[in-house]
Amino acid sequence: MKRWPWYLAALSLIAVLNLLPFSGTDVAQLKPVEVLWIYQTEDGEVIETDTLDRGIGSDPEDAFDDLMQTTSGHIFLETADYLLLDRQTLALLPHLMGRLRPACGVCIAEGQIDMEQVASFLNAHPLKHTLQDCSEGNAPIQLLKAEEGRMYLVS
């Protein structure tokens, strides 16, 4: 006789859980980013990823919004291990602390970077300083140069 309240509570819980709108995510739509490249053009700020997705906007926030909206699937910027900037976008470093991991490696990129190959290159040649180090102004930023299909780091 004393067990019927437990059965009633369990049935109520099952009914509530079946009524709640749960939406799953297809694993094939998840896009973790390893490299993020932010640079400036005549069109504004451009953000490219190693997943070959791109966002363009008049300022970095517009470019991030465009990247999120135009990417097919769910893009994860929090997984980025490397951040590439050009000299015009170096001022963004403190603002990127909220969007990217503080342990993300940072360098200045010059030349036409091959986004499909840069992650492999940077995994083999680790960057010396992180986003947190560079945004605090405590560390010099390395230079990644791309010339004639080759990449190399300059300290």
Side-chain angles (χ1 to χ4, degrees):
M1 275 275 222
K2 294 182 181 182
R3 294 188 182 174
W4 69 269
W6 290 106
Y7 291 122
L8 188 58
L11 285 173
S12 299
L13 182 62
I14 291 170
V16 168
L17 290 177
N18 284 329
L19 294 176
L20 292 176
F22 291 107
S23 61
T25 302
D26 184 11
V27 176
Q29 291 183 347
L30 302 177
K31 290 182 125 179
V33 170
E34 192 172 0
V35 180
L36 197 66
W37 184 20
I38 303 175
Y39 58 95
Q40 199 168 39
T41 65
E42 300 84 32
D43 298 331
E45 304 286 334
V46 178
I47 300 173
E48 283 190 47
T49 68
D50 60 323
T51 58
L52 304 181
D53 295 300
R54 174 187 268 209
I56 301 173
S58 58
D59 60 31
E61 287 303 315
D62 288 344
F64 274 112
D65 290 342
D66 185 52
L67 177 66
M68 296 297 189
Q69 291 173 1
T70 58
T71 300
S72 62
H74 302 284
I75 193 164
F76 290 102
L77 300 179
E78 297 85 6
T79 59
D81 288 328
Y82 306 105
L83 171 64
L84 312 179
L85 300 168
D86 68 357
R87 295 190 189 278
Q88 292 82 16
T89 56
L90 281 175
L92 298 176
L93 278 172
H95 304 292
L96 294 171
M97 283 291 292
R99 285 197 179 264
L100 303 173
R101 295 181 316 112
C104 179
V106 177
C107 69
I108 298 170
E110 285 185 359
Q112 190 55 41
I113 304 296
D114 181 356
M115 291 303 286
E116 293 179 347
Q117 300 296 322
V118 70
S120 298
F121 176 82
L122 291 173
N123 284 331
H125 305 87
L127 298 174
K128 294 179 182 174
H129 300 289
T130 64
L131 178 58
Q132 184 167 0
D133 297 336
C134 296
S135 65
E136 292 172 352
N138 298 335
I141 301 175
Q142 289 178 279
L143 178 65
L144 174 67
K145 284 193 171 190
E147 294 177 348
E148 299 175 5
R150 298 182 66 193
M151 290 183 273
Y152 56 94
L153 279 171
V154 180
S155 295

